[in-house]
Amino acid sequence: MQLISIGKSSSNRIVINDPRISGYHAEILLGDDGAILITDKGSTNGTTVRGQRIHPETEIILNRGDKVTFAGIADLDWSRVPIVSPPSPEWLIYSIGSGLKNRIQVSDASGRVSRYHATLKIDPKGKIFINDHSSNGTFVNDVRIQSGQDVRVRRKDKITFANATDLNWNVVKPKSSKTWIYVAAALAALLLAGVGVIGGMSGWFETRWSLEKTHNTYSNSIVCVYHEFHVVANLLNGEQIVLDIDNEGKYLGNYALKGSDEAAKLTKAKSGTAFLIDKSGTLATNRHITIPWENILENKSLVGLQRINNTAIKNIVGETVYVGIVYNKTSISRISDFEECSILSRTTDSRDKDIGLLRVKNSKQLPQEFTPIDLSKAFLDGKNITIGQPIHLIGYPLGPSMFILTSIGSTNTYEVKLTSQEGAVSQMPDTHKFGHNAVSFAGSSGSPIFNNKGQLIGILNSGLSGAGLQGYSWGILAKHIKELYDKE
């Protein structure tokens, strides 16, 4: 990915020297797949696309040559926007930077790593190239490379971004050479000819599922979850008070009577992923999606809260306001477009078993065609999960904030889009979970994890984030989903 900043400031890639142009007016993001997105960065005098003013901080899809005007006085000069041709499907492309949309997210305490810092490419023969397009540079073996050019690198090379954070090569999947593919195919053909029936009966040649096949098979069964809730103080006088808290559970000192208009403004929300596991509309997700307040209630500012408005507090609890789901490839314009769900099971016998179940309230709203992720066919033997085993992770990282804006009006319309990633098992299972290196973000929680035979092996529940941390995530073993489902 490449970022083209536009504005009056001399630090922008495209400088427009006019007082009506804001210092950092807008930016264009060039995707590795050739997509072009523009965002107005809260400019004073606005940005128009195809004659219509766009909302600030909202990505709009562009076609090369579209008329884009800044502050009503300056049109975008397309000759200054690099042409990014979509790579051949045989290439592997890794966008790298601090931005959440990168395939490899890099961060550092100094903030020197650019949002879209560099691109790593692997050609069909397995040769690796890196292309820098950052402010603070990319270094190969401590030597800064020239920006905008593909530079050949090898896996043994040390690659450093902004002299701050090194590339973790473990998240870069090796590219198989075609020669090996041809040899393997020839050997397979010989073996099939020699042992045919025996090989088929023993399962030697079971079909390997590609990421695309896994995505296409289950895409209608994997949904985005949106859970609104309140944190409520029950007072000894019988009143119920909704508390104003931050995302960590810190009490901010404000409150409102439950049921009032002011209380509605104190609603909190949690998004995640869930997936259909039967034809009746049962969905599996994480316990922390069904009980989003569980950790919040442990915040010391709530634990130590004794009185509200001079009235003693009996207890503080979390309460669901609304839970809804939305399916892949559907269009929405408001939260009410989500299909309402009930919470079938909020909890397991242990918080470490981070599993919860939902149920679609109106089964008539289920997709006309979908393949539920059948738990009877899931891979339930955690002892046979091995290091390096390929996995497919499918979900909704960052939840609704990653939906694609498709039209602008009095109410904007967004298209729901799934995200699919490949990775590998990186840590052997314990009683409840296993580690993997597929990159994940908030909103990915509850995503199904498959092996390369299309079998469910787990459900994403957590990951690390921070300086230099890439692809450190965990999944709950599939057997715990089946255990809870069978109890219900």
Side-chain angles (χ1 to χ4, degrees):
M1 294 184 177
Q2 296 185 47
L3 189 69
I4 311 296
S5 58
I6 303 163
K8 183 172 57 180
S9 171
S10 60
S11 61
N12 289 295
R13 286 276 296 273
I14 296 178
V15 178
I16 305 174
N17 192 12
D18 186 284
R20 289 165 289 185
I21 300 291
S22 297
Y24 194 91
H25 196 100
E27 62 186 28
I28 292 175
L29 179 62
L30 305 177
D32 296 322
D33 58 356
I36 308 173
L37 302 170
I38 188 168
T39 304
D40 180 275
K41 300 303 293 181
S43 66
T44 302
N45 293 311
T47 302
T48 59
V49 174
R50 298 180 286 271
Q52 189 168 15
R53 184 162 177 165
I54 64 176
H55 294 289
E57 302 297 343
T58 302
E59 286 186 339
I60 301 296
I61 298 172
L62 290 179
N63 297 308
R64 180 167 285 276
D66 280 348
K67 184 175 182 180
V68 179
T69 306
F70 307 105
I73 54 98
D75 290 341
L76 174 64
D77 180 358
W78 278 101
S79 67
R80 302 187 64 186
V81 179
I83 296 174
V84 177
S85 300
S88 165
E90 296 177 332
W91 284 66
L92 291 178
I93 305 295
Y94 293 84
S95 57
I96 304 170
S98 62
L100 295 176
K101 291 185 179 179
N102 289 288
R103 190 169 179 182
I104 299 176
Q105 187 192 15
V106 178
S107 59
D108 71 286
S110 67
R112 289 173 53 82
V113 176
S114 298
R115 275 188 292 158
Y116 304 100
H117 197 100
T119 302
L120 190 77
K121 310 173 185 179
I122 307 179
D123 74 7
K125 295 182 179 180
K127 294 180 180 179
I128 307 174
F129 304 86
I130 189 132
N131 190 311
D132 174 77
H133 27 81
S134 68
S135 300
N136 296 313
T138 298
F139 298 76
V140 177
N141 299 323
D142 299 320
V143 177
R144 184 167 182 167
I145 64 173
Q146 186 170 345
S147 183
Q149 292 191 4
D150 287 345
V151 176
R152 176 77 185 277
V153 295
R154 292 172 174 80
R155 285 188 169 270
K156 64 181 180 180
D157 289 334
K158 175 187 176 185
I159 298 179
T160 308
F161 307 109
N163 257 345
T165 303
D166 292 342
L167 173 67
N168 177 6
W169 279 104
N170 291 331
V171 300
V172 180
K173 181 181 177 182
K175 180 73 176 180
S176 302
S177 69
K178 280 190 171 181
T179 302
W180 167 246
I181 293 173
Y182 296 148
V183 171
L187 288 173
L190 288 172
L191 287 168
L192 282 169
V195 296
V197 174
I198 297 174
M201 293 177 63
S202 65
W204 291 348
F205 308 118
E206 287 181 331
T207 302
R208 302 300 188 203
W209 284 40
S210 65
L211 178 62
E212 181 181 18
K213 181 177 180 179
T214 306
H215 177 101
N216 291 341
T217 300
Y218 296 117
S219 60
N220 286 345
S221 298
I222 303 172
V223 304
C224 182
V225 183
Y226 184 80
H227 188 169
E228 290 185 340
F229 64 96
H230 284 153
V231 172
V232 178
N234 292 307
L235 306 186
L236 286 179
N237 65 4
E239 289 185 341
Q240 291 184 297
I241 302 297
V242 177
L243 304 179
D244 185 13
I245 59 170
D246 66 14
N247 291 330
E248 302 300 321
K250 181 180 179 181
Y251 176 50
L252 301 177
N254 301 315
Y255 57 87
L257 188 65
K258 182 180 174 180
S260 66
D261 291 341
E262 288 302 312
K265 298 176 184 178
L266 303 181
T267 301
K268 306 297 292 183
K270 180 82 171 180
S271 66
T273 300
F275 50 95
L276 288 160
I277 52 179
D278 60 29
K279 284 287 188 178
S280 64
T282 306
L283 301 114
T285 187
N286 289 138
R287 171 183 169 131
H288 73 261
I289 298 298
T290 60
I291 319 175
W293 53 79
E294 189 166 28
N295 290 331
I296 286 174
L297 296 182
E298 296 174 353
N299 188 283
K300 62 182 181 181
S301 69
L302 293 179
V303 173
L305 191 61
Q306 302 295 320
R307 306 180 74 85
I308 292 286
N309 199 24
N310 294 321
T311 304
I313 296 174
K314 180 181 178 182
N315 59 20
I316 298 177
V317 299
E319 293 184 359
T320 292
V321 176
Y322 172 83
V323 182
I325 62 168
V326 66
Y327 300 98
N328 183 42
K329 293 185 178 179
T330 57
S331 294
I332 64 168
S333 57
R334 56 185 65 86
I335 293 300
S336 59
D337 291 334
F338 282 59
E339 297 295 338
E340 190 172 3
C341 290
S342 58
I343 297 176
L344 186 61
S345 176
R346 291 185 187 271
T347 185
T348 52
D349 55 7
S350 167
R351 191 183 296 194
D352 292 331
K353 297 178 184 178
D354 192 8
I355 306 295
L357 298 177
L358 304 173
R359 174 71 57 77
V360 176
K361 281 195 171 181
N362 184 358
S363 61
K364 293 181 180 180
Q365 298 300 323
L366 289 168
Q368 290 185 352
E369 295 183 4
F370 70 97
T371 303
I373 298 172
D374 190 347
L375 297 181
S376 68
K377 298 178 181 178
F379 189 85
L380 303 177
D381 186 1
K383 294 180 180 179
N384 284 325
I385 292 177
T386 58
I387 296 293
Q389 179 179 342
I391 64 166
H392 299 158
L393 176 68
I394 306 178
Y396 296 89
L398 302 180
S401 64
M402 285 289 281
F403 295 170
I404 305 299
L405 181 67
T406 55
S407 67
I408 301 172
S410 56
T411 302
N412 294 338
T413 302
Y414 297 84
E415 184 177 0
V416 180
K417 286 267 182 105
L418 267 175
T419 296
S420 299
Q421 294 191 72
E422 292 181 306
V425 174
S426 58
Q427 186 180 70
M428 290 294 290
D430 58 19
T431 305
H432 302 113
K433 65 182 186 299
F434 62 93
H436 63 87
N437 62 15
V439 178
S440 62
F441 303 104
S444 299
S445 291
S447 298
I449 305 171
F450 302 93
N451 62 18
N452 62 355
K453 297 178 184 178
Q455 296 174 292
L456 181 74
I457 66 170
I459 180 171
L460 182 74
N461 82 306
S462 63
L464 297 181
S465 60
L469 297 175
Q470 309 167 36
Y472 293 90
S473 301
W474 286 268
I476 302 297
L477 294 167
K479 68 177 183 179
H480 296 303
I481 308 173
K482 191 171 188 304
E483 287 173 0
L484 184 60
Y485 180 70
D486 288 345
K487 288 179 182 178
E488 296 296 329

